[in-house]
Amino acid sequence: MSSSYEVKKPFERTSAAIFASPHSGRNYTARFKAQSQLSETALRSSEDAFVDLLFASAPEFGCPLLCAKSPRAFVDVNRCPTELDPEVISGVSEPVRKLRTRQGLGIIPRVVGDGRLIYRKRIGLVEAERRIEGIFRPYHRRLSSLMDESIDLFGRAILFDCHSMPGKSLSEISRKYGRKPEIVLGDLHGASCGSRISEEAREILAAAGFRVSMNSPYAGAFVAEKYGSPARDRHVLQIEIDRSIYMDEKRIRPNANFRSVRQAIRLAIRGLAGIGQGNLRLAAE
């Protein structure tokens, strides 16, 4: 068992589907908390809190569930390892190219989700590289091996990359369409997942009772870019769930709806696992 991730395995793999929760880690070490000028509650505002619990039933349906154990505020495993921010890491000489990194959301985040600065002072490059080697790379080696295992067993791999989104981030969609979605699916506008799979997943989640939209405001990030290749039957579909429907976002606690949302997700997982069953290879449409 790695200290940076946990894999919950099914008794038997019966589906090409894999579920992952890269941002639900909550192992806040004493050293990290001492480096930060924020409270642990403030640090947790960047966390996809309880997403690992919402998707905990995946192994019941023949699918592995990969969960990061280290928090997103410490190292973000859904970022490219070259996204180093010189404003938070001393000794970085490469210019910042990614907008997310300039905004403070590189592989070692400078800010939490609402823009508050995490650190009292910059950390060293050696420490940043130690985090990448000790947390980021083991997580991705395991994710890569799970994808390869699906290819070997089923001829295809379907990764459902599971996240949560702040309720306030959906205000623009609400103004445009009248009602905000509860789940946003992201397939990089077709680049990371075959359209048949994306559409079937949308229908499954809608049938489970969720309002679902595609690619706006979240189309996918590093994991979708790195592992999604529909032409090779390697599909990645990002799932973003509105935090406000299952948790108290200020206190970071499950709310009164948590159990019902988890049950609806369980129903959806059963259908999503079904997409990965059988022997039909789904090439890019």
Side-chain angles (χ1 to χ4, degrees):
M1 176 76 63
S2 169
S3 61
S4 67
Y5 66 82
E6 178 182 11
V7 179
K8 297 179 180 179
K9 297 181 179 180
F11 179 75
E12 180 184 3
R13 283 292 305 272
T14 59
S15 173
I18 302 156
F19 291 83
S21 178
H23 290 159
S24 58
R26 43 190 172 269
N27 181 19
Y28 293 86
T29 65
R31 173 175 168 77
F32 178 45
K33 288 188 284 187
Q35 289 175 316
S36 174
Q37 60 184 350
L38 301 177
S39 67
E40 184 171 334
T41 300
L43 288 171
R44 291 194 68 190
S45 66
S46 283
E47 193 182 298
D48 287 345
F50 315 119
V51 166
D52 55 334
L53 303 182
L54 290 176
F55 286 87
S57 61
E60 296 179 29
F61 302 103
C63 307
L65 172 64
L66 172 64
C67 301
K69 294 168 70 175
S70 293
R72 178 188 193 180
F74 188 69
V75 58
D76 190 339
V77 296
N78 197 26
R79 294 288 182 264
C80 177
T82 61
E83 292 184 43
L84 301 175
D85 182 353
E87 293 191 38
V88 75
I89 306 167
S90 63
V92 174
S93 57
E94 292 294 319
V96 175
R97 294 183 173 86
K98 296 271 189 177
L99 174 61
R100 286 187 298 244
T101 307
R102 292 199 298 271
Q103 293 171 334
L105 298 173
I107 188 168
I108 308 294
R110 175 175 15 112
V111 300
V112 291
D114 59 3
R116 286 177 288 178
L117 293 172
I118 294 173
Y119 293 93
R120 300 179 187 277
K121 60 181 181 180
R122 291 191 299 171
I123 67 171
L125 182 58
V126 170
E127 178 173 349
E129 291 173 341
R130 187 182 302 120
R131 294 185 193 182
I132 293 169
E133 290 301 320
I135 296 170
F136 175 92
R137 297 202 188 283
Y139 180 89
H140 281 277
R141 283 195 294 268
R142 193 67 182 98
L143 178 54
S144 181
S145 72
L146 288 170
M147 295 286 284
D148 289 344
E149 181 181 286
S150 285
I151 292 291
D152 291 342
L153 290 173
F154 304 99
R156 54 186 163 143
I158 306 169
L159 172 62
F160 295 106
D161 201 41
C162 306
H163 300 259
S164 67
M165 51 192 174
K168 64 182 181 182
S169 70
L170 302 171
S171 58
E172 183 177 337
I173 290 181
S174 299
R175 288 192 296 270
K176 186 174 181 179
Y177 296 105
R179 297 183 71 192
K180 70 177 183 177
E182 295 166 321
I183 288 181
V184 175
L185 299 180
D187 62 5
L188 296 177
H189 302 280
S192 70
C193 186
S195 61
R196 286 172 57 191
I197 293 175
S198 295
E199 180 57 26
E200 190 168 351
R202 189 194 67 77
E203 292 174 355
I204 288 167
L205 286 158
F210 297 103
R211 295 191 300 274
V212 186
S213 70
M214 286 293 304
N215 288 313
S216 179
Y218 303 105
F222 175 74
V223 166
E225 294 168 358
K226 179 176 175 63
Y227 295 96
S229 180
R232 297 189 300 135
D233 259 336
R234 292 175 178 263
H235 307 269
V236 179
L237 186 64
Q238 182 173 281
I239 301 176
E240 295 270 3
I241 305 173
D242 180 358
R243 293 174 190 166
S244 68
I245 69 173
Y246 71 87
M247 66 176 280
D248 180 327
E249 294 184 78
K250 289 185 178 179
R251 296 189 297 171
I252 312 183
R253 297 178 184 176
N255 65 22
N257 297 321
F258 182 83
R259 288 186 179 181
S260 61
V261 172
R262 182 173 59 184
Q263 184 59 32
I265 291 291
R266 185 180 187 277
L267 178 63
I269 290 170
R270 181 176 184 175
L272 296 172
I275 298 176
Q277 293 171 344
N279 298 315
L280 176 65
R281 292 176 64 89
L282 291 173
E285 288 83 17

